[in-house]
Amino acid sequence: MKIVTIIGARPQIIKAAALSRAIKDHYADRIQEVIVHTGQHYDDNMSQVFFDELGIPHPDYNLHVGSASHGVQTAKMIEGIEQILMDEKPDCMVLYGDTNSTLAGAVAASKIHVPVVHIEAGLRSFNKSMPEEINRIVCDHCSALLFTPTRAGFENLAREGFSIDNVGPYDIDNPKVYHCGDIMYDNSLHFSSIADQKVSLLKQLGLEGKPYVLATLHRDSNTDSPERLNAILDAFKELSKEITVVLPMHPRTRKKATGFHADNIIVTEPVSFLEMIQMEKHAQLVLTDSGGVQKESYFFKKPCVILRPETEWVEIVETGAATLADADKEKILEASHHYLQQPPINFPEVFGDGHAAEFMLEKMLTSL
Ligand code: UD1
Ligand code: UDP
């Protein structure tokens, strides 16, 4: 089976590591993977670092689309991906998550009848002002195989009209939904011990054995509204009077928060995945608007204050391990104080068994 995998943004490159690893370890004789990087993320610390560190095969193609408005960026990707699909003639296309690279892949492949496999299907924020919500809905409805990381994702698709008892062979008009666990959980389990052996960021930052809070911020709704951005950064400043805050800054945020600094806040460039895991594992608390970082805080049994009004990862809020604080300074501080004083102790397994990638590959081979 020949698959074309589309990646483009940082979290997709990291997710692809799990699938490529499973192909190399268990399916090398049966599956050929062609990797297409759209070039949505291009700085070394947003892209190349993950290939170097996580053993992901070098992309076979890079479309170098770079940054642009949604329409321009997505259009360039669709054009490039369509040509590659016509040349490569794969059996299916694998797409991750909900970025513009995901949307472009879904549109390009479905129009020329290449079956789409969507990994991280079914997630919904029920907030269509998020570009990601549009991307994930379109991608799900262009897919032949949909793999949901959580039970909530599976139920969302059932509610949207996906029949859960379709029989194969599957295609865009007769899609199959599988609930299989989260591919990022595979990665976190795999790289957790490697992180502490291979990287020394905490030592470099003078944080070994010291308490600190890890924060990330990049959602456009937060960075592109001065009011929301200031409220969140003010909350970080206030919290830093009590505990060190480490903030690896996304380039989108760097452009909007020029000049931001505070005595006890360590602002870094984006860090590598192993460095990120090390920081997550040893933090007291995580503050984030990132989808991936929310989940990883849960994987490493850390409380999380979510800097958004809602989340697609509803389970982590339902268990009490995470709290939605939006861009509300008082709510952020209140939730942070609560978790610093009373860390949650229950982290039920809601993200599968760490073998989602193998499950998905098996189903791709047998279901399409
Ligand atoms: C994108 C995804 C978002 C995902 C995030 C992961 C969409 C619509 N959004 O958001 O779902 O959570 O990636 O990080 O697909 N930039 C650089 N260097 C880079 C990449 C970006 O400087 O290597 C800057 C540019 O100014 C660019 C801005 O960041 O305009 C935003 O990049 P873009 O890829 O459009 O969106 P993200 O905010 O990264
Ligand atoms: N991440 C990283 N370095 C950083 C910040 C995040 O390696 O400086 C990783 C993080 O551990 C997670 C993924 O990037 O695996 C999340 O990506 P991001 O927050 O950019 O996007 P989202 O998950 O919100 O789409």
Side-chain angles (χ1 to χ4, degrees):
M1 171 177 252
K2 187 192 220 182
I3 65 177
V4 164
T5 297
I6 303 291
I7 55 178
R10 167 169 70 187
Q12 296 169 322
I13 304 170
I14 299 171
K15 285 165 201 168
L19 204 76
S20 298
R21 192 170 60 246
I23 293 174
K24 185 163 130 272
D25 291 349
H26 306 290
Y27 295 91
D29 55 338
R30 281 173 286 167
I31 299 180
Q32 180 200 354
E33 184 182 32
V34 175
I35 298 182
V36 179
H37 192 329
T38 62
Q40 177 170 353
H41 286 174
Y42 45 85
D43 291 345
D44 277 355
N45 58 22
M46 296 294 287
S47 176
Q48 187 58 41
V49 64
F50 305 109
F51 292 93
D52 297 341
E53 190 178 63
L54 307 180
I56 310 160
H58 192 72
D60 299 276
Y61 297 89
N62 191 323
L63 299 174
H64 296 291
V65 298
S67 304
S69 66
H70 288 283
V72 169
Q73 187 181 55
T74 311
K76 282 186 184 163
M77 292 176 189
I78 293 174
E79 192 180 357
I81 293 169
E82 183 182 60
Q83 187 58 53
I84 293 168
L85 291 177
M86 290 192 298
D87 295 343
E88 292 284 348
K89 302 183 178 42
D91 297 295
C92 65
M93 163 177 281
V94 172
L95 297 170
Y96 294 100
D98 52 23
T99 72
N100 286 349
S101 299
T102 317
L103 173 67
V107 174
S110 57
K111 290 287 183 78
I112 56 172
H113 313 137
V114 173
V116 171
V117 177
H118 189 199
I119 296 179
E120 248 188 27
L123 299 174
R124 297 290 181 266
S125 62
F126 302 100
N127 172 3
K128 290 201 182 98
S129 69
M130 286 182 81
E132 293 84 359
E133 185 76 348
I134 309 286
N135 295 346
R136 47 175 94 101
I137 291 172
V138 174
C139 184
D140 281 341
H141 287 263
C142 290
S143 296
L145 289 188
L146 299 94
F147 292 108
T148 72
T150 56
R151 202 67 226 166
F154 189 85
E155 285 160 12
N156 286 338
L157 291 175
R159 259 199 312 277
E160 252 168 54
F162 281 85
S163 164
I164 51 166
D165 44 19
N166 282 352
V167 289
Y170 303 110
D171 59 32
I172 189 169
D173 288 315
N174 183 44
K176 178 68 178 172
V177 181
Y178 292 107
H179 171 221
C180 66
D182 191 275
I183 197 162
M184 280 306 294
Y185 189 46
D186 296 18
N187 264 339
S188 292
L189 291 182
H190 181 80
F191 290 113
S192 172
S193 54
I194 300 174
D196 275 334
Q197 289 157 24
K198 285 208 173 165
V199 298
S200 54
L201 185 66
L202 286 181
K203 200 169 173 187
Q204 286 166 38
L205 297 177
L207 287 174
E208 230 175 10
K210 295 201 178 140
Y212 64 90
V213 168
L214 173 64
T216 80
L217 184 66
H218 77 279
R219 212 41 69 204
D220 65 347
S221 55
N222 286 332
T223 60
D224 296 5
S225 152
E227 203 183 11
R228 291 177 65 88
L229 182 62
N230 287 334
I232 293 170
L233 293 178
D234 277 355
F236 292 175
K237 274 190 186 165
E238 196 66 32
L239 197 58
S240 73
K241 292 177 186 162
E242 301 157 49
I243 182 167
T244 304
V245 176
V246 187
L247 176 59
M249 208 179 249
H250 191 288
R252 172 189 276 281
T253 316
R254 173 82 64 185
K255 286 185 177 125
K256 301 287 177 170
T258 43
F260 172 73
H261 72 97
D263 279 351
N264 202 22
I265 301 186
I266 303 174
V267 179
T268 72
E269 290 298 312
V271 298
S272 77
F273 184 57
L274 293 184
E275 289 173 333
M276 194 65 187
I277 288 187
Q278 187 182 52
M279 292 219 282
E280 289 165 346
K281 280 177 72 174
H282 298 279
Q284 251 56 38
L285 169 68
V286 176
L287 274 65
T288 191
D289 60 4
S290 155
V293 178
Q294 282 174 54
K295 275 183 299 170
E296 286 161 10
S297 67
Y298 190 89
F299 299 158
F300 296 118
K301 301 190 171 19
K302 303 295 172 182
C304 181
V305 176
I306 303 171
L307 308 169
R308 285 182 45 197
E310 77 283 303
T311 179
E312 305 78 37
W313 305 103
V314 289
E315 292 82 356
I316 66 172
V317 175
E318 283 162 9
T319 61
T323 294
L324 293 166
D326 202 1
D328 182 322
K329 182 179 169 186
E330 294 315 317
K331 278 192 195 162
I332 296 168
L333 289 171
E334 194 188 323
S336 301
H337 290 142
H338 168 74
Y339 281 140
L340 287 171
Q341 280 151 21
Q342 281 175 271
I345 43 171
N346 282 329
F347 294 84
E349 293 232 328
V350 291
F351 292 102
D353 61 3
H355 294 283
E358 287 101 300
F359 178 94
M360 292 189 244
L361 291 169
E362 198 59 44
K363 294 300 177 197
M364 284 182 222
L365 281 169
T366 54
S367 306
L368 286 174

